[in-house]
């Protein structure tokens, strides 16, 4: 609807106008949460949904920023997980060890599933199931209609990243310096990737194309892996850890780095097409719509870029 919704660690949530190139972003409204907000807001049917550091889940009106409802989770544990949607409900993980499913219209609890540890990741959805890769080293498969866990798979290491899912295949990086491909339906690991030299955790989530899995690591690399085999197709070196999750745009991939740069790479080769130096580390991921790319940095700035078809992006 021509709006960008941004949340920040000081608890402020605001809507900005997705303005034409060359103009400063105009703030339309601002709201304040109880605690800091480290999850990404989700938007559905004119409403905004997110969780905060004090364990509250919010619904705001997209047009005005008015709080429609607020749900308090158990024990006030922080919520890092971002929302996902299933029919008329929203899904959200919490550090209290639960995955919550709430009715979007009322905030009423539909169900919750207890896991063995804090849920840091955002829940992925495929074929009527949701997937939680957590701090207990397990991948849990949960039936969305029933709110019941139907299977689990030992990943061998804790995970903070959100799983990327397409069909029966799921891809996730771990704190054990590995990226794993899983057939969740069969309950088996298809392949495991580990850089031959550098051993650092994966905090960012993967992006998947027809042939590649692209993921950033705390090893300062952006990795392009062959989706079928898990072998490295390419690596791109940044100057600091990569906690921003990459976004694939056709034959390009966009990813931020803690070295204060946003990189646009050729998807097939990993070669740099374009870069932008900001005023802070880019830990968040890009949001893309209407030929615009929006990204925030930890310097407190939000940037909007014009994504021109068949051309390099330019900062606006």
């Amino acid at each position: 609807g021509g709006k960008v919704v941004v949340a920040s660690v000081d608890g402020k949530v605001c809507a900005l106008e997705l303005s034409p190139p060359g103009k400063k972003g105009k703030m339309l409204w601002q709201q304040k949460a109880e605690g800091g907000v480290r999850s990404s807001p989700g938007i559905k049917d004119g409403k905004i949904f997110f969780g905060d550091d004090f364990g509250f889940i919010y619904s705001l009106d997209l047009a005005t920023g008015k709080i429609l409802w607020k749900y308090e989770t158990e024990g006030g544990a922080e919520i890092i997980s971002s929302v996902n949607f299933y029919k008329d409900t929203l899904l959200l993980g919490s550090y209290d060890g639960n995955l919550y499913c709430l009715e979007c219209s009322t905030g009423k609890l539909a169900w919750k599933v207890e896991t063995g540890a804090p849920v840091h990741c955002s829940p992925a959805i495929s074929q009527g199931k949701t997937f939680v890769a957590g701090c207990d080293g397990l991948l849990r498969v949960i039936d969305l209609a029933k709110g019941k866990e139907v299977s689990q798979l030992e990943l061998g290491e804790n995970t903070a990243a959100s799983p990327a899912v397409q069909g029966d295949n799921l891809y996730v990086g771990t704190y054990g310096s590995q990226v794993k491909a899983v057939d969740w339906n069969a309950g088996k690991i298809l392949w495991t990737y580990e850089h031959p030299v550098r051993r650092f955790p994966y905090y960012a989530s993967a992006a998947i194309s027809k042939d590649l899995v692209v993921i950033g690591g705390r090893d300062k690399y952006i990795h392009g892996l062959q989706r079928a085999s898990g072998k490295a197709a390419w690596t791109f070196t940044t100057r600091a850890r990569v906690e921003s999750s990459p976004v694939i745009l056709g034959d390009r991939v966009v990813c931020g780095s803690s070295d204060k740069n946003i990189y646009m790479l050729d998807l097939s080769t990993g070669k740099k097409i374009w870069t932008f130096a900001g005023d802070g580390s880019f830990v968040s991921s890009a949001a893309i719509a209407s030929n615009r790319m929006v990204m925030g940095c930890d310097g407190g700035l939000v940037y909007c870029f014009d994504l021109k078809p068949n051309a390099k992006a330019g900062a606006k």
Side-chain angles (χ1 to χ4, degrees):
K3 297 182 180 67
V4 181
V5 180
V6 181
S8 54
V9 294
D10 60 0
K12 293 177 182 176
V13 182
C14 62
L16 307 175
E17 184 181 40
L18 192 62
S19 56
K23 293 185 178 181
K24 185 178 180 181
K26 178 183 177 181
M27 185 178 292
L28 302 173
W29 54 256
Q30 182 172 286
Q31 183 59 264
K32 187 72 167 61
E34 296 278 349
V37 183
R38 288 182 283 170
S39 61
S40 300
I43 299 174
K44 180 178 172 64
D45 298 332
K47 301 180 180 67
I48 303 162
F49 305 91
F50 62 91
D52 73 5
D53 282 346
F54 288 176
F56 290 97
I57 302 172
Y58 296 82
S59 172
L60 307 184
D61 181 77
L62 177 59
T64 64
K66 178 183 177 181
I67 297 176
L68 301 175
W69 54 255
K70 183 168 63 173
Y71 178 91
E72 185 173 5
T73 59
E74 294 181 6
E78 62 262 42
I79 297 171
I80 311 297
S81 170
S82 300
V83 299
N84 206 342
F85 299 104
Y86 175 70
K87 295 184 178 179
D88 295 325
T89 64
L90 66 93
L91 301 169
L92 200 61
S94 169
Y95 263 50
D96 65 15
N98 290 297
L99 175 69
Y100 289 87
C101 180
L102 306 180
E103 294 179 357
C104 289
S105 59
T106 64
K108 181 180 177 181
L109 180 69
W111 52 258
K112 65 179 179 180
V113 173
E114 184 177 355
T115 71
V119 180
H120 187 104
C121 76
S122 302
I125 292 175
S126 180
Q127 301 179 35
K129 305 291 191 299
T130 187
F131 310 88
V132 177
C135 300
D136 56 1
L138 295 175
L139 173 68
R140 299 174 186 270
V141 181
I142 297 164
D143 184 281
L144 284 164
K146 299 177 181 178
K148 301 293 184 183
E149 182 178 316
V150 294
S151 66
Q152 59 179 235
L153 178 67
E154 177 63 58
L155 294 176
E157 295 288 346
N158 293 351
T159 58
S162 304
V165 186
Q166 190 172 78
D168 291 345
N169 294 333
L170 178 148
Y171 307 88
V172 67
T174 75
Y175 256 63
S177 310
Q178 295 179 335
V179 181
K180 293 181 181 288
V182 174
D183 183 330
W184 63 264
N185 207 4
K188 65 179 181 179
I189 294 174
L190 301 174
W191 52 254
T192 299
Y193 166 81
E194 191 171 52
H195 191 272
V197 177
R198 298 182 67 82
R199 302 284 193 269
F200 287 84
Y202 290 91
Y203 199 78
S205 302
I208 51 180
S209 69
K210 179 181 177 182
D211 301 315
L212 292 176
V213 177
V214 183
I215 189 169
R218 286 184 168 178
D219 56 6
K220 304 181 183 180
Y221 289 144
I222 302 170
H223 303 259
L225 310 179
Q226 295 176 10
R227 187 171 167 182
S229 65
K231 294 181 180 179
W234 51 261
T235 55
F236 178 83
T237 305
T238 74
R239 296 190 299 274
R241 59 175 57 178
V242 181
E243 296 184 355
S244 170
S245 300
V247 178
I248 293 175
L249 301 168
D251 59 359
R252 298 171 288 176
V253 60
V254 175
C255 191
S257 171
S258 294
D259 66 6
K260 300 184 179 182
N261 283 279
I262 302 171
Y263 296 97
M264 180 179 287
L265 311 178
D266 182 273
L267 178 60
S268 60
T269 65
K271 291 184 178 180
K272 183 171 66 175
I273 296 173
W274 168 87
T275 187
F276 172 81
D279 290 339
S281 297
F282 290 96
V283 180
S284 66
S285 304
I288 296 170
S290 305
N291 290 322
R292 299 286 186 271
M293 177 176 74
V294 181
M295 214 165 175
C297 74
D298 66 4
L301 293 172
V302 181
Y303 297 90
C304 180
F305 301 89
D306 181 22
L307 293 177
K308 299 176 181 178
N310 303 317
K312 295 179 181 178
K316 301 298 179 185

